[in-house]
Amino acid sequence: APPLALGLILIAAAPGGAHSNLYAKLAGGNMPLSIGLTATSNALGVLTMPIVILLGTLAFSGEAKVIRVSPLETMLQLLFVLALPLALGMTLRHRAERWAKRLSPILMTIAVLLLIFLIVMSVRSNGERVMQFAALTGAPVLALNLGAMAAAYLLSVLSRLGRRETITIVLEVGIQNATLAVGLAMSLSEDPAVLLPPIVYSLVVYFTGALFLGIATLTARRSRAEA
């Protein structure tokens, strides 16, 4: 249906989500590359998302709608989600490297626990509707997510990138900013069906990201054992 198709377009057009950085860290990816890709995709999203949404609404609803992505909101999001924590971490490591090394595993544990908490609360708050939503949009959303990750992996391998860079790019392409997509869906249409794909995606991506994390970890352990 057109509203569901538009919701899927919003997911496809969304830039990388901040969770990709945590997953990349846990999977042994290239953290500077991960942060750089997230920041760049969000900055470029100010220009690219309106174009993709315009074409999507024209194709699926027959009426082209222009949705403006606020540069100020995007900059503030980048500031608080990426730039500020990164600056604080670099400052602490520069001024007190010993304390930084001690705090690093503690903060990583807290980050993982918060991620688990978010997953549990998301599923719990939408528990009654998750199965209904999944039945309507689960397959297309999952296909988009896994297809994007598979394409990123294939292009990384063909480009002969290293293991860490490949992991980073797959996670960055596969984990989109679902929160932004939900917000745009609310601005785009009064039809609640447009919200379904972003909501389902926001739940699915936690598990597909965790699955890829597990595969990357097992592969790394097997490579070390063979070496």
Side-chain angles (χ1 to χ4, degrees):
L4 299 178
L6 290 177
L8 202 63
I9 288 292
L10 291 176
I11 294 287
H19 286 125
S20 64
N21 304 140
L22 176 58
Y23 277 116
K25 174 69 174 178
L26 294 173
N30 185 323
M31 286 308 297
L33 177 61
S34 178
I35 294 171
L37 288 174
T38 302
T40 303
S41 66
N42 277 267
L44 290 177
V46 174
L47 300 175
T48 60
M49 289 194 71
I51 298 174
V52 176
I53 293 171
L54 178 68
L55 295 175
T57 54
L58 180 62
F60 292 105
S61 69
E63 179 183 356
K65 295 183 180 180
V66 178
I67 298 294
R68 296 180 180 179
V69 182
S70 171
L72 179 59
E73 290 182 5
T74 302
M75 289 174 61
L76 289 175
Q77 185 181 47
L78 289 174
L79 175 65
F80 287 106
V81 175
L82 292 176
L84 186 59
L86 181 62
L88 289 174
M90 292 176 65
T91 302
L92 178 62
R93 187 174 181 87
H94 176 70
R95 295 183 177 276
E97 185 174 356
R98 182 180 298 178
W99 276 103
K101 290 181 178 180
R102 289 180 179 179
L103 287 174
S104 180
I106 298 174
L107 293 176
M108 181 56 62
T109 301
I110 293 174
V112 172
L113 291 176
L114 285 174
L115 180 62
I116 295 173
F117 175 76
L118 285 173
I119 296 172
V120 172
M121 292 305 296
S122 296
V123 174
R124 183 178 179 182
S125 61
N126 296 285
E128 298 180 356
R129 296 176 293 175
V130 165
M131 295 306 297
Q132 179 184 358
F133 289 176
L136 291 171
T137 63
V141 167
L142 187 62
L144 173 64
N145 183 222
L146 296 180
M149 297 177 82
Y153 177 79
L154 179 61
L155 289 173
S156 297
V157 171
L158 291 176
S159 300
R160 298 182 180 180
L161 300 180
R163 174 184 172 276
R164 297 180 64 207
E165 288 70 29
T166 298
I167 288 173
T168 302
I169 292 174
V170 170
L171 289 171
E172 186 64 31
V173 171
I175 300 180
Q176 305 298 92
N177 192 333
T179 303
L180 178 60
V182 170
L184 290 174
M186 296 175 67
S187 303
L188 181 66
S189 173
E190 296 180 356
D191 190 337
V194 179
L195 284 166
L196 298 188
I199 290 175
V200 173
Y201 181 90
S202 67
L203 299 174
V204 167
V205 74
Y206 286 124
F207 297 100
T208 55
L211 177 62
F212 181 79
L213 170 61
I215 294 173
T217 303
L218 289 175
T219 303
R221 289 179 179 175
R222 183 176 298 176
S223 299
R224 287 196 295 267
E226 292 177 353

